[in-house]
Amino acid sequence: MIKMVGLKALFKNLLSKNKEAASMGGSDNSGQPAVYDELMEIQDRNAALLKANPDLLFVFDKGGTFFDFHGNRDILLMPPEQFIGKKAEEVLPEPIARLTLDKINCLYETGEMQVYEYSAEIGGQTMYFESRMVKYGNDKALTIVRNITEQKKYAAALSASEKRYKELYNLFRLLADSTPDMIWAKDLEKKFLFANNAICRDLLNAKDTDEPIGKTDLYFATRERESHPENPNWHTFGEICTDSDEVTLREMRPMQFDEYGYVKGKFMFLDVHKAPLYDTEGKVIGVVGTARNVTEHKEIEEKLKHSEETYKGIINSISDCLYVLDENGIIIDANQKAYSFTGCAANVLVGKPLSTLLAPGLTDLEKTMEHLKHAFNGEPREFECWGVRGDGSFYPKLVSLTAGHYFGKPCVIALARDISEQKKIEQTLLEAKQRAEENDRLKTAFLANMSHETRIPLNGIIGFAECLTEGNLNLNQVKEYGSIILMSANRLLDFMTNVMYASKIEAGVENVVMSDFPLISIIEEVVLTFQNIAANKQLKINTFLAPECEALVVKTDVAKFQRILSNLLDNSIKFTNQGQVSIFCKREDHSIVVEVEDTGTGISEEHLERIFERFYQTNIEFNRGYEGAGLGLAIARGLVDLLGGKIWVKSQVGKGSLFGFSIPFTEGKLDNTDAVESSYPDVSRSLTVLVVEDDDSGYYLLEVLLTSMGCNVLRAETGLAALDIFNQNPAIDLVMLDIKLPEMDGLQVLKELKKTKPHLPVIAETAYAMIGDRERLMAEGFDEYVAKPIRQNQLKPLLQRFFPEIIK
């Protein structure tokens, strides 16, 4: 049974409020409040009703602790002595505990009775219950729990529920009408659903609490104004105030408003609190509100306001966070900057200890309190520490403490400044200094390496070229010197090509040219170019293609794919002194995945993150023992990015490295129409080739190469001269056309030649040899492309392609 002390506490509260009312004229002849006997009678009646109630009754406090119990113990989860005085989450199953706490919270947020159902396992049987929760006193929640397991008892349960609801409503009605505060509820059309005596008496001037039902504020305001047309200030309440009902429904949250105006000819100021009203299904059906007449308090506040405005204006004008602390470090006051920075309202922050503002684990609280003590004794302090923002993040701040007075009491004034940006600037400057030093180191190393990479091959070219000009050389020496010159020139060409690739990628002017190619042939072609280099180091190159890749024709940028694989393969061979280099290729959805794994020296962890940067090398010393300018991996990464792919590296020092990349592709088709039929099946004659070249050495090289293949060679040094020679020699079979020419460039010459002789083979030759140039020039109308420096093993296959019957 619910303890009588609980009810007495409730009615004692009611009695105290009615005594206040009685002091203003509401007591009987004995001096006791007239309602006292009625309250005692209600108390006894409610106690009797509780005895007869078949349901379980629980009393909770606001925190969800069981306060009391009444009911049948046979359908309890446990005896009352095991849960009285304990929190719901300590004794109830987790779902029931969470539901109970949610309903208690909702009860105190909305003020509405909470009705809900749940099930529980009792005595090996699942039983179902219906709970109705209402406010009990000022800080209690009364929950009535009904066993609704048997359907045949539903009608009786409903009847009992309605009866209890009426009793509770009568109790609520009594409480509402006995309070001096105004209480009401409105529907979505702002018509009253409920009104207590206070609002009817003090604001609406309604005859009773039933009259407002179904009517709006405007109805009563209009009636009051029309009753005193001679006095414009008889009723002005709400005329200049915001429509707080509309605001509450728009914001969908509890809100506070200051509302004021004249009522019955006297000025009234109300402290109004409103909140959305929900039905049992959680649907908004209106607004509930309370209002307290704070006219006298406002007059007092107005007087205090002027004395505080100056103080607040000063501290709020300070851009730093300002805190007023007592001797023990308790926050007495703070400025607006502090409230906004910490994310705490004044009523939350004030009264909290100094530790609330400090980052735990990063700031020495004991040392900070020593600073506070010194400052309180008149010794100013300034120091750096770590604070905590409203979102929980930590930040560095500069704090200054000075002694002061707060409305006559000694205190410490603390100013705190967020120095995150200052620290970031300092860190940025430090990192910039480190980067500058690193870049300067890399720049110096690169320039030294670049000098090395150009002078070494030039040394071989110039040195052995001079040897060739001295004469007195036998044929073997000439071949040996020429081979060295060729090898040095190739090395220099590779280096310059890499520099140009890196610059073009960096400038963002590299284009993607898509074409179809058989994957296996391109990989084999790249591997073939490195076979001799690997063999010289006694290394083996292994190729492992997944079955789905063996006959795969892909559409992507062929030249870029080759360059990526070549650079990775070259890097692995360069850093592998024994063992092998393996290439793995597989397909993953719409991507080709290629990995190059070696058994080389490996890369330490500190270098992995930067290994793909331009000019970055793990060893930039002069004794490193290998060639290169640190561009190969950077070019590979740039090309992979350009193709929309990914590149990665895994490595262990002393065990080797694995470089891999994946690029998206679409399946292509092989074009077997590349072979060009010769228009000159006559094998009895030699070819006539027009070479359009303004550079003497360039022309001389082509003349030597073409003559060695039995060709007749004509030369034009300008574009206009080329057209003249062509028109005078209709027997010209092939044109070797430089792109950069005086008077008329190669593209213009090409158009004129093709107008006269569309099927004439025209081969572009250019020193602007970058990835994608071949595709671009072919799109312009050239029949083929050759990059300078031109070599015989490049030129002869080209001519054989056009004239297989003549060039053998």
Side-chain angles (χ1 to χ4, degrees):
M1 178 182 296
I2 297 179
K3 296 177 181 178
M4 294 301 296
V5 65
L7 288 173
K8 286 182 179 179
L10 169 64
F11 287 105
K12 183 178 180 181
N13 182 45
L14 294 173
L15 181 60
S16 64
K17 292 188 177 182
N18 280 279
K19 282 183 177 180
E20 293 178 7
S23 66
M24 301 178 67
S27 63
D28 59 16
N29 294 332
S30 64
Q32 289 291 338
V35 76
Y36 180 81
D37 292 337
E38 295 179 17
L39 291 176
M40 295 305 297
E41 180 182 353
I42 292 173
Q43 174 181 328
D44 294 337
R45 183 170 67 250
N46 285 343
L49 288 173
L50 291 175
K51 291 179 181 180
N53 193 344
D55 299 322
L56 302 177
L57 285 85
F58 299 91
V59 179
F60 298 93
D61 62 14
K62 282 187 177 182
T65 300
F66 284 93
F67 186 77
D68 208 341
F69 160 75
H70 167 77
N72 183 5
R73 297 184 176 218
D74 295 337
I75 57 174
L76 291 176
L77 290 170
M78 63 192 72
E81 54 268 20
Q82 293 185 15
F83 62 80
I84 297 299
K86 295 185 178 180
K87 292 184 177 293
E89 62 266 29
E90 294 177 341
V91 295
L92 293 179
E94 193 272 337
I96 301 176
R98 184 172 65 251
L99 179 62
T100 302
L101 294 175
D102 288 345
K103 294 301 180 180
I104 291 174
N105 292 335
C106 189
L107 173 67
Y108 277 92
E109 287 179 2
T110 65
E112 292 183 320
M113 177 175 65
Q114 304 298 306
V115 181
Y116 56 99
E117 295 182 4
Y118 62 91
S119 63
E121 192 77 19
I122 300 176
Q125 178 185 0
T126 300
M127 303 184 71
Y128 298 87
F129 300 91
E130 179 189 72
S131 293
R132 291 175 177 269
M133 183 182 290
V134 295
K135 291 178 68 175
Y136 171 46
N138 294 327
D139 59 353
K140 300 293 187 303
L142 175 63
T143 302
I144 303 172
V145 180
R146 172 163 294 170
N147 181 359
I148 57 172
T149 305
E150 300 179 21
Q151 294 296 327
K152 64 181 181 178
K153 295 181 180 180
Y154 280 178
L158 178 61
S159 175
S161 177
E162 290 177 351
K163 181 179 178 181
R164 286 194 300 275
Y165 173 77
K166 290 179 181 179
E167 290 175 350
L168 291 172
Y169 176 79
N170 290 335
L171 178 60
F172 173 72
R173 178 87 254 179
L174 179 63
L175 290 171
D177 288 341
S178 63
T179 181
D181 291 341
M182 302 176 190
I183 301 175
W184 68 91
K186 297 178 184 177
D187 62 17
L188 294 176
E189 295 180 354
K190 304 175 186 176
K191 295 178 180 179
F192 282 98
L193 299 172
F194 174 86
N196 74 340
N197 279 333
I199 190 171
C200 293
R201 179 186 67 244
D202 299 334
L203 182 62
L204 303 179
N205 201 20
K207 61 182 180 181
D208 55 36
T209 56
D210 291 330
E211 185 182 12
I213 307 304
K215 300 180 179 65
T216 65
D217 289 303
L218 183 60
Y219 171 85
F220 295 99
T222 302
R223 187 172 73 179
E224 285 298 300
R225 292 164 189 162
E226 290 177 350
S227 68
H228 291 79
E230 78 287 352
N231 186 356
N233 287 331
W234 177 257
H235 190 98
T236 64
F237 194 89
E239 285 186 347
I240 59 175
C241 296
T242 304
D243 187 346
S244 54
D245 289 337
E246 192 69 32
V247 174
T248 303
L249 289 173
R250 183 176 67 244
E251 295 292 327
M252 294 299 294
R253 60 184 175 87
M255 302 192 71
Q256 185 277 335
F257 303 92
D258 292 333
E259 298 188 5
Y260 44 84
Y262 284 90
V263 177
K264 299 179 183 178
K266 294 182 179 180
F267 187 80
M268 178 184 289
F269 200 108
L270 297 182
D271 177 18
V272 179
H273 294 258
K274 294 186 177 183
L277 175 63
Y278 299 88
D279 63 12
T280 56
E281 296 179 353
K283 181 180 178 181
V284 177
I285 59 173
V287 176
V288 295
T290 64
R292 176 168 294 180
N293 189 339
V294 292
T295 307
E296 293 183 6
H297 293 287
K298 283 295 179 181
E299 292 175 355
I300 297 172
E301 287 177 0
E302 193 66 25
K303 294 178 182 178
L304 293 175
K305 179 180 178 181
H306 295 295
S307 62
E308 293 181 0
E309 279 181 349
T310 301
Y311 162 74
K312 288 294 184 183
I314 293 174
I315 67 170
N316 287 334
S317 66
I318 298 174
S319 59
D320 295 332
C321 295
L322 183 145
Y323 305 93
V324 181
L325 309 171
D326 67 10
E327 185 178 7
N328 299 314
I330 303 301
I331 301 171
I332 303 173
D333 200 354
N335 67 349
Q336 194 60 44
K337 176 71 174 181
Y339 295 138
S340 61
F341 197 82
T342 59
C344 297
N347 61 342
V348 175
L349 190 60
V350 172
K352 293 294 178 65
L354 178 60
S355 58
T356 306
L357 309 173
L358 304 176
L362 295 178
T363 298
D364 188 338
L365 179 60
E366 183 177 347
K367 187 173 183 179
T368 303
M369 293 303 294
E370 289 182 6
H371 288 311
L372 178 71
K373 182 178 179 180
H374 285 287
F376 191 83
N377 293 328
E379 302 176 23
R381 284 288 190 272
E382 184 172 283
F383 58 93
E384 291 184 7
C385 65
W386 285 88
V388 58
R389 297 186 180 91
D391 60 3
S393 61
F394 299 156
Y395 71 99
K397 62 181 179 179
L398 177 66
V399 179
S400 63
L401 303 176
T402 55
H405 287 81
Y406 181 78
F407 294 102
K409 294 182 179 181
C411 68
V412 172
I413 307 297
L415 285 176
R417 177 177 300 171
D418 185 350
I419 55 174
S420 300
E421 291 303 319
Q422 177 182 332
K423 291 295 182 182
K424 286 181 182 178
I425 293 173
E426 292 176 358
Q427 183 63 27
T428 300
L429 291 175
L430 177 61
E431 291 175 355
K433 179 177 179 293
Q434 292 173 343
R435 284 196 302 270
E437 291 174 349
E438 175 67 9
N439 289 339
D440 186 60
R441 186 176 70 90
L442 290 176
K443 176 183 175 182
T444 301
F446 170 70
L447 290 176
N449 192 33
M450 188 171 182
S451 175
H452 176 270
E453 292 298 318
T454 54
R455 289 181 178 274
I456 289 298
L458 283 174
N459 180 62
I461 295 169
I462 296 172
F464 284 99
E466 287 181 348
C467 291
L468 288 175
T469 62
E470 291 179 356
N472 300 323
L473 300 175
N474 58 42
L475 183 59
N476 289 334
Q477 288 177 311
V478 171
K479 288 182 178 181
E480 181 182 358
Y481 295 170
S483 176
I484 295 173
I485 292 173
L486 183 60
M487 181 179 65
S488 299
N490 286 335
R491 176 178 171 182
L492 180 61
L493 178 62
D494 287 342
F495 173 71
M496 297 306 299
T497 300
N498 277 339
V499 172
M500 287 189 293
Y501 278 147
S503 300
K504 198 170 183 182
I505 293 171
E506 184 75 15
V509 296
E510 186 62 49
N511 298 318
V512 175
V513 181
M514 307 298 285
S515 60
D516 299 341
F517 69 94
L519 181 62
I520 188 171
S521 64
I522 295 302
I523 293 178
E524 289 176 347
E525 183 179 327
V526 173
V527 171
L528 185 62
T529 61
F530 286 92
Q531 286 289 7
N532 290 336
I533 299 175
N536 289 336
K537 298 184 69 175
Q538 297 183 343
L539 299 177
K540 183 179 180 181
I541 301 179
N542 302 314
T543 303
F544 302 95
L545 269 70
E548 67 271 15
C549 295
E550 293 179 355
L552 185 61
V553 177
V554 300
K555 180 184 287 293
T556 187
D557 192 310
V558 180
K560 291 181 177 59
F561 183 92
Q562 288 181 304
R563 173 59 62 177
I564 296 166
L565 180 56
S566 295
N567 286 6
L568 296 185
L569 190 56
D570 177 64
N571 184 78
S572 290
I573 293 173
K574 182 186 299 182
F575 291 98
T576 302
N577 295 322
Q578 60 181 2
Q580 60 190 3
V581 176
S582 300
I583 300 174
F584 301 90
C585 182
K586 62 181 178 179
R587 174 178 181 174
E588 290 184 356
D589 295 330
H590 297 289
S591 294
I592 291 296
V593 179
V594 180
E595 292 182 325
V596 179
E597 185 175 22
D598 62 59
T599 56
T601 58
I603 306 168
S604 62
E605 187 73 24
E606 62 183 293
H607 296 297
L608 285 178
E609 290 186 2
R610 302 189 62 189
I611 198 66
F612 291 109
E613 293 181 13
R614 274 197 317 164
F615 310 131
Y616 188 82
Q617 296 177 317
T618 59
N619 186 353
I620 59 174
E621 304 300 329
F622 292 118
N623 61 349
R624 60 186 184 175
Y626 53 85
E627 302 170 357
L631 292 173
L633 295 180
I635 291 172
R637 183 189 65 176
L639 296 178
V640 168
D641 291 342
L642 194 62
L643 294 177
K646 298 178 181 178
I647 192 168
W648 60 88
V649 59
K650 299 176 183 178
S651 186
Q652 281 186 283
V653 176
K655 293 186 178 181
S657 303
L658 183 147
F659 286 86
F661 68 94
S662 67
I663 57 172
F665 80 98
T666 56
E667 292 195 28
K669 296 180 180 180
L670 286 180
D671 184 1
N672 296 318
T673 62
D674 289 341
V676 179
E677 294 185 3
S678 174
S679 300
Y680 304 93
D682 183 4
V683 298
S684 62
R685 67 179 183 83
S686 60
L687 293 178
T688 299
V689 181
L690 173 60
V691 176
V692 187
E693 173 63 75
D694 62 332
D695 179 66
D696 291 337
S697 62
Y699 166 74
Y700 180 64
L701 174 61
L702 280 174
E703 183 183 32
V704 170
L705 296 178
L706 291 170
T707 302
S708 68
M709 289 184 279
C711 298
N712 297 320
V713 182
L714 302 176
R715 181 190 184 187
E717 297 184 21
T718 67
L720 293 177
L723 295 178
D724 290 339
I725 295 173
F726 176 75
N727 292 329
Q728 296 170 14
N729 295 272
I732 290 175
D733 302 307
L734 175 73
V735 177
M736 298 287 296
L737 179 59
D738 192 14
I739 299 301
K740 185 179 180 183
L741 294 169
E743 299 178 356
M744 178 185 291
D745 65 37
L747 295 178
Q748 293 173 304
V749 173
L750 172 69
K751 292 178 182 179
E752 296 299 323
L753 293 175
K754 289 292 186 177
K755 285 180 183 179
T756 305
K757 205 169 185 179
H759 299 293
L760 175 71
V762 181
I763 298 176
E765 51 162 314
T766 178
Y768 298 102
M770 299 297 291
I771 292 177
D773 284 349
R774 179 182 183 278
E775 290 77 6
R776 178 177 61 81
L777 292 172
M778 296 288 282
E780 291 287 348
F782 283 97
D783 297 284
E784 202 32 276
Y785 159 94
V786 62
K788 296 179 180 180
I790 300 171
R791 306 173 191 179
Q792 187 171 21
N793 62 356
Q794 292 176 291
L795 186 59
K796 188 172 183 178
L798 286 181
L799 268 62
Q800 287 176 331
R801 180 181 168 201
F802 293 104
F803 305 100
E805 299 86 354
I806 300 176
I807 305 298
K808 301 298 182 179

